Amino acid sequence: MRPFPLLALGSLASAAAVVDVTNGAKVEAETGILNGVTIGDNPGGFSGSGFVQGFDAATDSVTITFQSAKQALYDVVIQYASTSGEKQTTMSLNDSGGSGIVLAATSEESPWANATAGQVLLNAGTNTITFTSNWGWYFIDAVYISPSAAPAKHQVTSKLSTPNPLPITQALFNKLLSNYGNGSIFSGQSEAAEIAWLEENVGKTPAIIGLDFMDYSPSRVEHGTSSHEVEDGIAFSNRNGIVAFQWHWNAPSHLIDSAAEPWYSGFYTAATTFNLTTVLANPSSEDYALLIRDLDTIAALLLRLQAADVPVLWRPLHEAEGGWFWWGAQGPEACVALYRLMFDRFVNHHQLRNLIWVWNSVATAWYPGDDIVDILGYDSYPPAGDHGAVSVQYQALIALGKDKKMVTLPEVGNIPDPDQLELYHADWSYFVTWNGAYINTDEFNSLDFKKKVFNDPSVINLSDLGNWKSN
């Protein structure tokens, strides 16, 4: 990257200028407190006297200070340049929490663009927003802060993507929809053992159990794995609970199976040479046949659940845009094609009618389409201790689905604080906490906080579900 002329040097600028944003204002980034970053003036086209550059070390940051006459929600938009590709910055409010904000790639010819950074709840008085390096190598010119409009009424309908869903499938969707946007959220927990831990230590049972078809993957079964997740799902449904499934899909073939990348890591991109683009382009190949074999294996398990009258919140190909799983390694086109192939195979070939299809990405390019998605979700893993409303991703999903799809947190590390959800008007339908240390230690969610959440009147637990199956 070429050097840039400096308008100010040093790791820390002088006192930050304070702007009143009560009625909306633009705050120039170069007026903020600089930590490890500097001010540049090339490329041109920026506003003010320059822009903040650097962001090449993990702790590099700029902090802007401003005032609000009242506590209220405000929209934040970042004016930035990112000519070396897509980047991320971490935005934190008043020295707490931190949300990753995507800065889409810009060109040398037109370097400056705006990125929506969601909402922030400002205190009455002085506030700060800090942008910290994250992926780094971008420029921040200014921040627009404006009062948020009152949230519009959601436009979600009860129509499911599956033709002629089972009555109990429709009843589950109707139950979720009847509580969507009314200030409540369904609780969830992955794995039956962790639900037992919650019952013993918190005294509550979540409404949703999160389960995984991972060990049913044929390339894992070949190595001796077995699973009781289907039985766990049926048992929880018999308790009047809601069942959600994902699939850490071990690649159908071409596992590296080395000491560094063992066979049981086969759902990771690094642990397989299975190339989805190549396989989908060759439907007569052996690998394509193995792909269909795997789909049919999982379809048979879902048919068992269907026979037991268990509707499923089905979340396939999760976190695809991250690229760390093989189904996302070849980019959005191949992943969406696989999702559509799965939908057709499950719904039309196997006649599955018990699935509510949950898509797990905020990126527009990865979206399979309104016709085969029922719910949108985001997996949230903020730093330990951050129980914020995940409002940036909430707003992104609302925009992705044009507010015609329910949005949810199908996998979380830190449970969102119901108080924060109310303040931010973040109408997440449900959350499902990940297992292990995320739930059975105090590292991410303290015991007191877990008790607070599960006893909050806005949180819908198993005992609050009522007779939803007959609705």
Side-chain angles (χ1 to χ4, degrees), residues 293-469:
R293 173 205 64 181
D294 284 15
L295 291 175
D296 290 348
T297 297
I298 301 306
L301 299 170
L302 290 166
L303 283 167
R304 284 179 57 193
L305 291 161
Q306 179 167 284
D309 286 330
V310 179
V312 176
L313 295 168
W314 171 230
R315 183 171 66 109
L317 310 183
H318 65 293
E319 300 177 10
E321 69 191 80
W324 43 78
F325 297 137
W326 64 262
W327 50 85
Q330 303 300 315
E333 184 176 350
C335 182
V336 169
L338 178 59
Y339 185 98
R340 285 193 166 272
L341 172 64
M342 178 189 293
F343 186 93
D344 178 66
R345 191 77 180 174
F346 283 8
V347 173
N348 298 319
H349 181 79
H350 288 288
Q351 295 294 300
L352 282 162
R353 296 289 181 265
N354 63 329
L355 304 183
I356 295 172
W357 291 76
V358 182
W359 177 245
N360 191 198
S361 170
V362 301
T364 303
W366 292 79
Y367 186 44
D370 289 343
D371 59 321
I372 54 174
V373 172
D374 299 312
I375 294 175
L376 296 170
Y378 172 75
D379 290 358
S380 175
Y381 287 91
D386 181 355
H387 299 287
V390 201
S391 65
V392 173
Q393 290 77 16
Y394 173 81
Q395 295 295 336
L397 288 177
I398 290 292
L400 178 63
K402 302 178 182 64
D403 210 3
K404 296 180 180 180
K405 303 289 182 182
M406 278 190 283
V407 299
T408 189
L409 293 166
E411 191 176 313
V412 301
N414 298 346
I415 302 171
D417 189 332
D419 295 339
Q420 290 292 308
L421 298 181
E422 180 181 7
L423 289 169
Y424 276 85
H425 306 296
D427 294 328
W428 297 107
S429 174
Y430 62 84
F431 69 85
V432 179
T433 314
W434 196 238
N435 52 58
Y438 289 103
I439 194 64
N440 60 30
T441 74
D442 283 356
E443 182 178 357
F444 299 94
N445 302 285
S446 71
L447 183 59
D448 285 344
F449 180 73
K450 283 176 284 217
K451 289 180 178 179
K452 172 186 182 297
V453 169
F454 282 93
N455 284 284
D456 191 284
S458 70
V459 175
I460 301 171
N461 298 314
L462 181 69
S463 60
D464 305 313
L465 287 178
N467 192 22
W468 65 269
K469 294 185 179 183

Side-chain angles (χ1 to χ4, degrees), residues 10-17 28-39 52 55 60-65 128-131:
S11 62
L12 189 65
S14 58
E28 295 291 342
E30 68 272 17
T31 65
I33 297 175
L34 311 181
N35 179 34
V37 291
T38 55
I39 299 174
V52 178
F55 298 106
D60 286 356
S61 66
V62 58
T63 298
I64 61 172
T65 303
T128 62
I129 287 179
T130 299
F131 297 100

